[in-house]
Amino acid sequence: EAGVTQFPSHSVIEKGQTVTLRCDPISGHDNLYWYRRVMGKEIKFLLHFVKESKQDESGMPNNRFLAERTGGTYSTLKVQPAELEDSGVYFCASSRRRGREAFFGQGTRLTVV
Amino acid sequence: GDSVTQMEGPVTLSEEAFLTINCTYTATGYPSLFWYVQYPGEGLQLLLKATKADDKGSNKGFEATYRKETTSFHLEKGSVQVSDSAVYFCALSAVNQAGTALIFGKGTTLSVSS
């Protein structure tokens, strides 16, 4: 069984540019989560999809962040326009059912310069 | 709100030393508690978990006991190996939250030398 896959693994962009991160969850996992870790700080929850619906997006920092999960399969997280404070590692996780173990991807390291 | 506090790192140990990484939490309700580990170049992996008070989670020689009276979930291992070098995250999942999102601590970097 393939694990959670994230693309790209690293991204360096200039302030004001747009970046799109992608997450492919484990096949059959309806629950998909995005998290972010800013250097030296906690891993923080961003949002939770159940299939294609946003179950909880209370952790999204502002309207520069847009997450989608069309068709309930892979998900994208777009940052537009990127700011310096958006730098960090973005993790995606999926689980078959809510409350069950969540499997994490390797993360995307985003650097905004 | 709910939160997790874990000891600051880095923790540097020699092989076969005893490891303790402290973790305390604040939560309403009765959360489940987890330890995740991130090895270099890899994603987060669930190391162990406990879902109710006095439960002990264990895996790969690591143990942690859910202590409700002290709101703690300290991670221990009797004899660490070089391969245990990684970043360890304590986390909770509050059962009364609609999203059941995980709340993480800041992470503790462990470095084990031979």
Side-chain angles (χ1 to χ4, degrees), chain A:
Chain A
E1 178 180 75
V4 177
T5 308
Q6 292 186 244
F7 304 96
S9 57
H10 294 84
S11 180
V12 181
I13 62 171
E14 292 184 352
K15 176 182 173 180
Q17 289 186 323
T18 298
V19 63
T20 300
L21 314 181
R22 172 169 167 149
C23 170
D24 287 74
I26 294 173
S27 177
H29 282 197
D30 289 342
N31 293 273
L32 187 149
Y33 305 84
W34 284 98
Y35 293 84
R36 176 175 73 171
R37 187 187 189 203
V38 173
M39 181 64 70
K41 297 195 174 181
E42 301 89 343
I43 299 172
K44 289 200 171 179
F45 166 78
L46 296 178
L47 86 159
H48 170 204
F49 283 100
V50 177
K51 297 185 180 180
E52 67 275 9
S53 299
K54 292 177 184 175
Q55 177 76 16
D56 180 358
E57 52 183 332
S58 61
M60 294 288 265
N62 52 60
N63 59 10
R64 295 185 293 102
F65 289 75
L66 175 64
E68 295 180 325
R69 192 182 182 195
T70 305
T73 55
Y74 70 90
S75 174
T76 58
L77 180 64
K78 179 189 289 187
V79 184
Q80 179 181 29
E83 299 290 343
L84 298 179
E85 63 264 26
D86 300 332
S87 296
V89 180
Y90 290 77
F91 291 101
C92 175
S94 72
S95 67
R96 188 173 296 278
R97 294 181 187 173
R98 195 176 75 185
R100 297 292 295 272
E101 177 184 352
F103 295 85
F104 281 78
Q106 292 186 328
T108 294
R109 181 174 297 278
L110 174 64
T111 303
V112 183
V113 297

Side-chain angles (χ1 to χ4, degrees), chain B residues 74-95:
Chain B
H74 304 320
L75 182 68
E76 296 183 335
K77 187 174 185 181
S79 176
V80 294
Q81 305 300 311
V82 173
S83 57
D84 294 326
S85 298
V87 183
Y88 293 80
F89 296 91
C90 186
L92 69 82
S93 176
V95 297

Side-chain angles (χ1 to χ4, degrees), chain B residues 50-79:
Chain B
T51 58
K52 62 183 186 295
D54 299 325
D55 268 2
K56 177 186 284 188
S58 62
N59 186 25
K60 299 182 180 180
F62 291 89
E63 292 183 341
T65 301
Y66 189 140
R67 301 286 188 199
K68 186 180 176 185
E69 64 277 12
T70 55
T71 61
S72 65
F73 193 54
H74 304 320
L75 182 68
E76 296 183 335
K77 187 174 185 181
S79 176

